[in-house]
Amino acid sequence: MGREVSESCIDSLLTEMVSTYCNRFYANKPELAARRIEAIGYQVGHQLSERYTMERPRFSDHLEAIKFICKDFWFELFKKQIDNLKTNHRGTFVLQDNRFRWLTTMSIEQPPENGTSEELSIAADNKALQSMHLYFPCGIIRGALSNLGIPCAVSADISNLPACSFVVRIKA
């Protein structure tokens, strides 16, 4: 029997972690906060990947490992599979989650077209905060793939909330 943690606990932990690193530890250095949040995600992904692949043979190629991330690994984390996987067959993969759980509670208000400078500033701050929440899952994906012997860089795009695309670039 596997051990599970309440979704609300994970949501609260992620929110508090991002808030603490961005507003307290590295208030004036958002790039350091982002790196630290991603590093924590990396450790989590590395350990979870180790746990979920213990009984499996090693993957024979990158595509097989990415498919594992999209299906089994994502299902263990979010109780659903990645909605779409695209590749250019040259080491770049795009994992699309149309309703990424950790973003569903975030505001999706667009800034007004003729908004005041204050409204535009608030909208920019919200976008920055939303992107800070993505460093953790990017780290999880990078850590999991690293454990599978695949060095990579992972970035995220949230141009259409709550959908999220994770771009995985395999390092040669």
Side-chain angles (χ1 to χ4, degrees):
M1 178 185 287
R3 294 178 281 177
E4 294 187 13
V5 177
S6 167
E7 289 177 27
S8 61
C9 288
I10 297 297
D11 290 345
S12 295
L13 178 65
L14 178 61
T15 300
E16 285 302 312
M17 178 179 60
V18 169
S19 175
T20 300
Y21 276 93
C22 292
N23 299 325
R24 208 164 128 212
F25 295 155
Y26 301 106
N28 298 322
K29 298 177 182 176
E31 65 284 344
L32 290 178
R35 285 198 350 229
R36 187 64 190 129
I37 292 167
E38 197 269 350
I40 295 168
Y42 178 90
Q43 290 298 318
V44 170
H46 198 275
Q47 292 172 1
L48 288 175
S49 177
E50 182 71 29
R51 176 179 291 170
Y52 298 150
T53 59
M54 239 187 293
E55 306 290 322
R56 293 175 172 252
R58 289 302 261 178
F59 297 107
S60 60
D61 64 358
H62 294 152
L63 183 59
E64 203 175 304
I66 294 286
K67 285 181 179 179
F68 163 76
I69 296 295
C70 292
K71 293 179 179 180
D72 302 335
F73 188 78
W74 212 255
F75 187 82
E76 289 292 332
L77 291 176
F78 300 109
K79 303 298 181 232
K80 69 182 282 275
Q81 295 181 357
I82 284 285
D83 295 307
N84 195 2
L85 169 63
K86 295 178 184 174
T87 182
N88 66 358
H89 299 286
R90 288 176 288 188
T92 300
F93 300 88
V94 179
L95 290 65
Q96 175 77 34
D97 189 330
N98 294 331
R99 194 158 167 75
F100 186 52
R101 177 168 290 145
W102 291 344
L103 295 177
T104 54
T105 58
M106 292 195 175
S107 171
I108 55 175
E109 293 177 24
Q110 296 296 324
E113 285 184 31
N114 297 322
T116 66
S117 61
E118 184 177 334
E119 290 172 327
L120 295 174
S121 175
I122 291 170
D125 289 345
N126 284 343
K127 186 77 167 175
L129 183 62
Q130 291 164 351
S131 66
M132 275 298 188
H133 279 80
L134 293 174
Y135 286 104
F136 186 69
C138 286
I140 289 175
I141 295 168
R142 190 172 72 86
L145 288 170
S146 175
N147 184 56
L148 299 175
I150 302 172
C152 63
V154 181
S155 60
D157 175 46
I158 53 168
S159 54
N160 191 19
L161 283 174
C164 183
S165 296
F166 295 96
V167 179
V168 177
R169 289 182 179 81
I170 307 296
K171 294 181 181 175

